[in-house]
Amino acid sequence: MFEIYSNFTTSNPQKMMEEYRKVISKDFVYDEAGTGMVYNTHDDFFNAFKGWKNGFSDAKFTLHRTTRNGNIVFHELTCTGTHDGLFPMPGYETTASGNVVANRCVMILEFNKDGKVKKCTLYFDNFGMMKAIGALPVARKD
């Protein structure tokens, strides 16, 4: 799934959704634990990822480790990108800071019996990311 996201360009969002529909189930749930948002429709999921890509247009994932347990796959990864656009958060949007952000994440994918993803849970360091883009004050060092 993160390969599709990494290859997404804002100029062709329909192509991205077509690719996702091939790998996610009709009852797919996206649980973004870093923000507390849960998306229960394909369109809501697509709009959430579109928001990420709008805020970090050059975002790329680096996969560090994958572990499988039955129908569940765990990916440990880092998402790196420049905060170069509006980035929606629950209740507000952050303006572009120009800062480069490297955010460590864990993505948990649960597959159904047909081999499609029925749930994706994404854990990431929201506090660290918000600090890196200047949306939170940096702690004083004195």
Side-chain angles (χ1 to χ4, degrees), residues 44-109:
D44 288 345
F45 165 69
F46 170 71
N47 287 330
F49 263 31
K50 186 176 175 184
W52 278 96
K53 199 62 173 183
N54 286 337
F56 300 88
S57 66
D58 63 348
K60 297 290 178 202
F61 285 107
T62 302
L63 181 62
H64 303 291
R65 180 172 46 169
T66 297
T67 304
R68 180 175 169 250
N69 185 7
N71 67 327
I72 299 176
V73 174
F74 302 84
H75 293 304
E76 182 180 347
L77 46 108
T78 299
C79 181
T80 306
T82 306
H83 181 226
D84 57 0
L86 287 177
F87 179 57
M89 292 295 290
Y92 65 98
E93 290 183 324
T94 63
T95 57
S97 67
N99 295 344
V100 176
V101 176
N103 197 318
R104 294 177 58 196
C105 313
V106 173
M107 179 184 285
I108 303 171
L109 303 173

